[in-house]
Amino acid sequence: MRPGTAGGGTLRPARLRPADFLRLGGTGLRTRPLRVFLSALGIAIGVAAMVAVVGISSSSRAEVDRRLDALGTNMLRVAPGRTPDGTATRLPQEAVPMIRRIGPVDRVAATGEVKDAAVYRNEHIPVGRTGSVEVAAAGAGLLPAVGGEVRAGRWLTEATEEYPAVVLGAQAARRLDVYTPGTRLWLGGTWFSLVGVLEPVPLAPEIDGSALVGWQAARTYLGFDGHPSTVYVRARDDRVSQVRAVLAATANPEKPNAVLVSRPSDALAAREATESTLTGLLLGLGSVALLVGGVGVGNTMVISVLERRPEIGLRRALGATSGQIRGQFVSESLLLSALGGLGGTVLGTAITAVFASVRGWPTQVPVWATAAGVAVTLLIGALAGLYPAVRAGRLTPTEALAGP
């Protein structure tokens, strides 16, 4: 019988199944837990950064969509502009009733700038220290037109809008440090009673910093001229474009080119687009962190090959092929990267959930982001472990057992 034969047959190297490679890889990782943890942590940080960026961005978009669904995208804003020679214009006093005649229009409300009127907490505060709070006239239909809500007290009614009553926007209340209905405010040289404080109005942020008084009260007590400075229009959802096309000519027939018509919901959409650009930048930074983690995995595997040369030599002497040695180290690298990828995905999802919860947003982490995070880490693990695996597979038994 020839050496290397048994029972008349040639000895063949044992075949290793994928499960065997995974078991060998797991055994190699368990022998160096601290190094494995630190290497996996580098991968996890990169994956967590990418998943968290995508998750927070998606949650932000979901919040914007939710707010737009609640506030509506059918509101248009009309304001006076300038003539071609640069002269400022005013909307006519009849702008609101004229716009109301447009068929598809559901609601119309306006605010009017009250010039030379300021609001103070009391009459002893020096002139000019108003906290940048503007005074504006408003009608009873303003709040439903802009989708606003009252935080404390109540909104102006047909009764209170004729008397010295005032409602503060969210920022105005914070600047004046006044939140309690019934408080008296020194406004335009007259005592006004605070009847309500508003929640922030996303589609009309200019209202947040204003002190709003009734339209007739502004005429009676503050010398308001009756010209609207901003008109808010709610149109039927399917006719917004048509209404927008005729608003300028309807609001100011004499100077339609000097009327500014905008759609506030477009500003929220533009902000979302800006945040998407920032998301791309942050994803790039997360990719760099992931690449650094991949370099760490590669370094770990190179050191592992150097440290385990006797083991490699013994396995080669017992009949392990070069391919089996390469498969063992690639398996270790893939397992190490998978541990980091899974840990990073969990960490990134947790960061997204906490951030969204603090901001009051719906938590939304796209499935593709988590799947991509794990897939990318496996790819990086395969690439990082390829060179060390090839190097280990090239060692002959004598070279490996001889030591470095």
Side-chain angles (χ1 to χ4, degrees):
M1 185 180 299
R2 294 177 308 187
T5 65
T10 304
L11 287 176
R12 297 176 181 177
R15 292 183 178 181
L16 297 181
R17 297 170 298 178
D20 298 324
F21 281 113
L22 292 178
R23 186 166 56 254
L24 285 172
T27 301
L29 295 181
R30 286 195 297 271
T31 59
R32 305 178 308 281
L34 181 58
R35 186 182 301 169
V36 167
F37 171 77
L38 294 177
S39 298
L41 181 62
I43 290 286
I45 290 174
V47 174
M50 297 179 68
V51 172
V53 167
V54 174
I56 290 174
S57 176
S58 298
S59 299
S60 175
R61 285 195 294 271
E63 172 65 10
V64 171
D65 293 339
R66 184 186 68 81
R67 290 169 63 185
L68 288 178
D69 289 340
L71 298 172
T73 58
N74 62 337
M75 192 178 90
L76 298 170
R77 182 179 181 274
V78 181
R82 293 182 178 274
T83 59
D85 61 0
T87 304
T89 62
R90 295 194 301 176
L91 294 176
Q93 296 183 9
E94 300 79 12
V96 171
M98 288 191 297
I99 292 174
R100 190 175 285 119
R101 295 191 184 100
I102 300 175
V105 169
D106 293 331
R107 294 179 182 272
V108 183
T111 58
E113 180 183 359
V114 180
K115 299 179 180 179
D116 302 325
V119 58
Y120 304 91
R121 294 186 59 180
N122 55 63
E123 73 273 29
H124 303 296
I125 295 178
V127 175
R129 295 187 179 181
T130 64
S132 300
V133 176
E134 297 183 355
V135 179
L142 176 65
L143 204 59
V146 299
E149 296 180 356
V150 177
R151 176 187 298 175
R154 62 186 184 277
W155 177 242
L156 297 169
T157 64
E158 293 182 359
T160 56
E161 70 175 355
E162 296 182 6
Y163 298 97
V166 59
V167 174
L168 294 179
Q171 290 184 4
R174 185 165 58 251
R175 291 168 182 170
L176 294 173
D177 195 25
V178 176
Y179 304 95
T180 306
T183 304
R184 293 200 309 165
L185 295 174
W186 186 247
L187 199 160
T190 303
W191 285 109
F192 275 67
S193 177
L194 178 65
V195 296
V197 177
L198 301 180
E199 295 282 2
V201 184
L203 292 182
E206 60 275 8
I207 292 177
D208 293 343
S210 301
L212 303 167
V213 301
W215 202 270
Q216 187 57 45
R219 285 176 174 270
T220 304
Y221 299 98
L222 305 176
F224 176 50
D225 60 10
H227 287 271
S229 56
T230 306
V231 180
Y232 304 95
V233 181
R234 288 279 184 176
R236 282 168 38 188
D237 292 332
D238 59 340
R239 302 295 295 276
V240 174
S241 298
Q242 291 86 335
V243 172
R244 185 173 186 172
V246 300
L247 265 181
T250 305
N252 192 350
E254 294 183 357
K255 300 176 181 178
N257 294 329
V259 177
L260 304 176
V261 179
S262 60
R263 192 174 184 178
S265 59
D266 292 344
L268 290 178
R271 187 178 69 181
E272 180 180 333
T274 302
E275 291 176 351
S276 297
T277 303
L278 179 61
T279 297
L281 174 61
L282 294 177
L283 277 176
L285 295 177
S287 300
V288 172
L290 188 58
L291 180 61
V292 172
V295 172
V297 171
N299 183 58
T300 297
M301 297 310 301
V302 169
I303 295 175
S304 178
V305 170
L306 294 176
E307 290 180 344
R308 297 163 63 187
R309 287 169 66 99
E311 174 192 336
I312 296 171
L314 181 60
R315 291 199 61 213
R316 290 300 309 275
L318 293 176
T321 65
S322 297
Q324 291 173 346
I325 297 297
R326 288 194 296 268
Q328 175 186 351
F329 282 92
V330 169
S331 298
E332 286 188 27
S333 180
L334 287 174
L335 285 174
L336 181 57
S337 297
L339 288 174
L342 293 175
T345 299
V346 173
L347 180 60
T349 302
I351 292 173
T352 301
V354 171
F355 187 87
S357 177
V358 171
R359 298 294 297 270
W361 297 350
T363 301
Q364 190 173 83
V365 180
V367 176
W368 67 264
T370 58
V374 176
V376 169
T377 56
L378 291 178
L379 177 62
I380 289 178
L383 295 177
L386 186 60
Y387 169 73
V390 171
R391 180 174 178 177
R394 288 177 177 174
L395 290 175
T396 63
T398 53
E399 289 175 336
L401 291 172

